[in-house]
Amino acid sequence: MTDRQHNAWQAAQQWRERARQARPSQGAGGLKLLATWLLFGVMMIVGTLLGLFFLIVGWAMLPFLRHRMKKRAEAFRAEHARPAGGNGAQDGAQTRDNARSSRVLEGDYQVKSDD
């Protein structure tokens, strides 16, 4: 049992030695770590500024978008408005004609007869 413990101890010592040799020197590692953190910080600041820029541009465009949507809504209402007053029977017939005409397919087509 002592040989087995001794072999395991030697293997652990060899593993520690290889890990110590693979570890980079402290001077270069510290500089790399500092450069990495600085680069990460700069990227975070740039990303935040870009996000704020697009947020402000989006807010600035909202009034223009609202104006355009109001114009579309007004045009839609004007297009689908029913005339006020007048003869009820005439209005109903006119509404049916408008509904029928809005369902007409445009283009070239032929009607085949059963004869």
Side-chain angles (χ1 to χ4, degrees):
M1 187 158 194
T2 58
D3 276 345
R4 190 179 297 168
Q5 287 177 347
H6 185 65
N7 289 339
W9 179 256
Q10 284 180 348
Q13 288 292 351
Q14 289 173 356
W15 180 82
R16 281 190 198 129
E17 196 60 38
R18 281 195 305 264
R20 191 175 300 127
Q21 288 173 359
R23 188 179 304 157
S25 63
Q26 289 297 324
L31 286 176
K32 283 183 184 178
L33 185 64
L34 180 66
T36 302
W37 276 106
L38 285 175
L39 184 64
F40 177 73
V42 167
M43 288 177 62
M44 289 293 288
I45 290 170
V46 168
T48 302
L49 290 175
L50 276 172
L52 283 173
F53 172 75
F54 284 117
L55 178 70
I56 291 170
V57 167
W59 281 347
M61 289 177 63
L62 280 176
F64 300 111
L65 184 64
R66 184 174 181 259
H67 177 71
R68 187 168 47 165
M69 295 301 288
K70 281 179 71 175
K71 290 292 183 186
R72 279 189 188 174
E74 287 173 8
F76 181 81
R77 281 191 212 107
E79 188 178 306
H80 292 85
R82 292 184 182 172
N87 190 350
Q90 244 181 355
D91 289 342
Q94 188 178 11
T95 305
R96 281 193 301 275
D97 290 342
N98 286 343
R100 205 174 292 131
S101 68
S102 66
R103 287 184 273 159
V104 171
L105 297 175
E106 293 184 12
D108 296 334
Y109 57 90
Q110 296 177 351
V111 177
K112 293 183 179 180
S113 62
D114 291 336
D115 296 336

